[in-house]
Amino acid sequence: MIRVLIADDQPLVRRGLALILAPHPDVEVVGEAGDGAEAVELAGRLSPDVVVMDIRMPVLDGVRATGELARVRPESRVLALSTFDMDEYVVAALRAGAYGFLPKDVSPEELIAAVRTVHAGEAAVAPRLLTRLISTYVRASAREPRPAAPASPTGLTPRELEIWRLLAGGFDNAEIAAELDISVSTVKNHITGIFGKLGVRDRAQAVIAAYESGLVEAERKPA
């Protein structure tokens, strides 16, 4: 049973999300919160497995609430929601510790699939959407020189560096395997090693690290 807490400042949205999740026998909605502070407090009392968290809320916004949950209750995994699929707050939430992101106009099937994915400890963000988000909103400081092919201070091997670059480019595991002519299981093993050396928890944080390190270049946000 996946215990879910819903956090959104709009009662109608909370009720709609609960109604979508309720029919599924492996999911139980254990509570609803109207702001980020209430979400953190309820998570401490109700022990949810997944917190479906709106990004923009009063009192304590979803980004700060996500960071607080990652600190005090990491076993409650956050699935962030936003009205817009291109939102700098989404990147902030992923950096703060969210396991996934969905725009609010997703289908019921996509919502329940994302809840199950996050519960399994995997990142629930489409690889190419993740790359587009981060390339739009992550900026390395213009005053800091960045080498074209940065040396890895984390001890990544040349193959790991190559896989990290492909991962940051939006390739999924099967596409990376095809590109490098290796097995998917080998890719997974390399990615596990990459995460450990980078000190990141999941794919989203690895992609953010790739842009921030200068491994890949961020696009300029249109004026």
Side-chain angles (χ1 to χ4, degrees):
M1 182 65 69
I2 305 171
R3 294 169 58 81
V4 177
L5 172 66
I6 297 170
D8 195 291
D9 60 325
Q10 299 181 45
L12 196 59
V13 172
R14 294 199 303 271
R15 181 52 25 204
L17 292 171
L19 288 172
I20 289 171
L21 295 172
H24 297 274
D26 60 333
V27 175
E28 178 187 7
V29 177
V30 296
E32 298 179 16
D35 59 62
E38 187 180 11
V40 173
E41 189 271 328
L42 285 178
R45 288 200 288 113
L46 300 175
S47 303
D49 300 304
V50 176
V51 180
V52 179
M53 180 90 73
D54 185 24
I55 293 291
R56 304 192 185 204
M57 292 185 291
V59 184
L60 187 69
D61 64 39
V63 174
R64 290 187 294 161
T66 296
E68 183 66 10
L69 283 175
R71 186 180 67 83
V72 303
R73 190 174 169 76
E75 59 270 35
S76 293
R77 294 166 177 160
V78 173
L79 174 61
L81 295 180
S82 175
T83 303
F84 306 103
D85 65 357
M86 293 299 289
D87 187 340
E88 65 268 32
Y89 288 95
V90 174
V91 174
L94 294 170
R95 186 185 283 113
Y99 271 74
F101 154 71
L102 288 178
K104 285 188 175 180
D105 61 356
V106 296
S107 68
E109 293 77 17
E110 288 171 315
L111 174 63
I112 186 62
V115 166
R116 288 170 176 152
T117 298
V118 167
H119 178 249
E122 300 173 10
V125 188
R128 298 197 190 281
L129 173 59
L130 175 64
T131 300
R132 190 159 58 94
L133 268 169
I134 293 170
S135 69
T136 301
Y137 292 109
V138 173
R139 294 291 179 274
S141 170
R143 291 172 294 185
E144 295 178 4
R146 292 182 301 165
S152 173
T154 52
L156 294 181
T157 66
R159 176 47 60 94
E160 288 172 337
L161 199 61
E162 189 174 19
I163 289 174
W164 186 25
R165 184 179 287 108
L166 290 171
L167 185 156
F171 285 65
D172 63 26
N173 289 357
E175 290 170 332
I176 293 172
E179 180 74 14
L180 300 179
D181 195 24
I182 57 179
S183 70
V184 172
S185 62
T186 299
V187 171
K188 290 179 179 178
N189 289 338
H190 279 304
I191 288 176
T192 298
I194 291 165
F195 288 178
K197 291 179 180 180
L198 293 176
V200 302
R201 190 202 57 219
D202 58 28
R203 201 178 198 94
Q205 293 185 350
V207 175
I208 290 171
Y211 280 93
E212 292 182 330
S213 72
L215 180 75
V216 289
E217 289 288 323
E219 299 170 2
R220 287 206 169 271
K221 189 175 177 180

